[in-house]
């Protein structure tokens, strides 16, 4: 049987999104990993009310961290779960501390089956999908541990790293022979602590053996889509905005 794997970008913007037209309209960052007929959702944002329309057969949720733009839609997910008349709870994989934040923010979480995952502990789903949480620096506020997720699917690797303050050694180690890197591209020519700045980060990353790089979490300092795409390609031919 031939397998189909796709990554669907539900949002590629920062917290609160970006109001723009066409490709410059960016909702809060989230993806669906679709493996054959199974969907895995990464982060449940405040834009979930719109993003839910792309979901089909949801098999699991992975949460990067406990900030509002990564968990804000969990109330909406509860409503969606009821509307779909799903009998089974949805497995939700994340750091124990993030589970604490979710339980504190939302009262109706019985429809979730919390799966505490610690850094580098692989989640095996079936025989062909493995997802490993990697600790990354992000939140300035303490108490918000943040994960990037290394996804291995039919021997191909995708690294989803939507919220990253700095490329640390743990991340750099993974770049060797990565098929797809989806990376925090929040800032353009302006540096902050909690997110990456593209023009500084990209030249180095481009030399790694990564096949394709997509930026997400694209913030307000970043130019409009067409200009951005061109400028990114000038720095690195294998990179583009998601
Ligand atoms: Zn955050």
């Amino acid at each position: 049987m031939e397998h189909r794997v796709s990554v669907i970008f539900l949002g590629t913007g920062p917290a609160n999104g970006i109001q723009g037209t066409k490709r410059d309209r960016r909702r809060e960052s989230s993806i669906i990993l679709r493996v054959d007929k199974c969907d895995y959702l990464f982060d449940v944002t405040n834009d979930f009310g719109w993003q839910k329309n792309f979901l089909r057969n949801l098999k699991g949720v992975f949460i990067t961290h406990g900030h509002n733009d990564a968990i804000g839609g969990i109330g909406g997910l509860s409503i969606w779960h009821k509307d779909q008349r799903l009998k089974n709870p949805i497995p939700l994989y994340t750091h124990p501390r993030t589970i604490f934040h979710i339980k504190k923010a939302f009262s109706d979480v019985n429809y979730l089956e919390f799966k505490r995952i610690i850094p580098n502990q692989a989640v095996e789903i079936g025989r062909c999908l493995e997802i490993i949480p990697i600790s990354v620096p992000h939140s300035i506020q303490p108490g918000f541990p943040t994960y990037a997720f290394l996804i291995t699917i039919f021997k191909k690797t995708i690294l989803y790293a939507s919220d990253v303050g700095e490329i640390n050694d743990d991340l750099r180690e993974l770049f060797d022979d990565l098929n797809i890197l989806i990376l925090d591209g929040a800032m353009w020519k302006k540096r902050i602590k909690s997110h990456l700045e593209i023009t500084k980060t990209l030249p180095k990353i481009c030399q790694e053996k990564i096949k394709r790089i997509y930026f997400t979490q694209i913030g307000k300092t970043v130019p409009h889509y067409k200009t951005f795409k061109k400028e990114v390609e000038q720095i690195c031919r294998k990179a583009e905005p998601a």
Side-chain angles (χ1 to χ4, degrees):
M1 182 191 150
E2 204 176 302
H3 295 286
R4 284 187 70 97
V5 178
S6 45
V7 172
I8 300 158
F9 286 93
L10 298 179
T12 58
N16 302 316
I18 290 184
Q19 303 300 324
T21 53
K22 294 182 183 169
R23 290 181 182 220
D24 287 311
R25 170 75 171 105
R26 296 188 182 279
R27 291 176 175 84
E28 291 185 344
S29 291
S30 172
I31 58 165
I32 294 171
L33 171 72
R34 181 165 290 161
V35 182
D36 294 325
K37 285 183 176 150
C38 300
D39 281 4
Y40 301 91
L41 177 67
F42 288 72
D43 285 340
V44 190
T45 81
N46 293 302
D47 292 315
F48 182 76
W50 180 84
Q51 293 169 333
K52 69 177 183 206
N53 297 316
F54 297 85
L55 276 180
R56 289 186 199 159
N57 181 20
L58 182 62
K59 291 292 191 190
V61 173
F62 288 79
I63 301 285
T64 55
H65 65 305
H67 284 164
N68 197 251
D69 59 333
I71 64 167
I74 284 187
L77 183 62
S78 152
I79 297 166
W80 180 85
H81 184 264
K82 282 193 194 96
D83 287 349
Q84 302 285 313
R85 298 171 200 277
L86 301 179
K87 284 192 189 79
N88 297 331
I90 305 167
L92 182 145
Y93 303 85
T94 193
H95 191 286
R97 182 77 192 169
T98 309
I99 295 176
F100 165 84
H101 290 302
I102 293 170
K103 287 183 172 169
K104 208 171 117 189
F106 302 96
S107 50
D108 179 13
V109 289
N110 290 333
Y111 72 100
L112 294 171
E113 186 188 339
F114 289 107
K115 306 267 196 187
R116 307 155 75 93
I117 44 169
I118 55 166
N120 306 317
Q121 178 196 345
V123 177
E124 312 267 358
I125 298 171
R127 273 189 307 161
C128 308
L129 175 61
E130 180 193 73
I131 300 178
I132 305 175
I134 312 293
S135 267
V136 290
H138 164 55
S139 181
I140 301 162
Q141 241 178 317
F144 290 85
T146 302
Y147 282 154
F149 290 105
L150 178 67
I151 302 161
T152 307
I153 176 73
F154 304 122
K155 296 183 182 149
K156 293 259 180 339
T157 49
I158 302 167
L159 179 61
Y160 184 67
S162 60
D163 292 77
V164 179
E166 193 198 329
I167 304 284
N168 59 3
D169 290 343
D170 287 0
L171 270 187
R172 204 171 294 114
E173 246 175 52
L174 305 175
F175 288 165
D176 220 20
D177 281 328
L178 201 57
N179 290 95
I180 294 175
L181 171 64
I182 301 167
L183 188 64
D184 183 323
M187 303 301 291
W188 183 256
K189 297 182 180 172
K190 198 167 171 248
R191 185 81 182 96
I192 56 168
K193 259 195 147 167
S194 51
H195 290 285
L196 294 176
E197 193 281 314
I198 297 165
T199 61
K200 279 250 153 53
T201 318
L202 188 54
K204 268 192 205 146
I205 290 185
C206 197
Q207 294 169 16
E208 306 274 355
K209 275 197 273 172
I210 305 165
K211 293 204 176 69
R212 199 82 207 143
I213 302 164
Y214 295 96
F215 285 107
T216 188
Q217 194 72 235
I218 295 162
K220 289 196 170 75
T221 54
V222 177
H224 286 295
Y225 179 78
K226 271 189 185 160
T227 317
F228 180 37
K229 189 174 189 308
K230 222 188 267 167
E231 296 224 18
V232 161
E233 278 167 357
Q234 271 166 17
I235 304 172
C236 178
R237 289 182 60 169
K238 51 190 188 180
E240 67 177 299

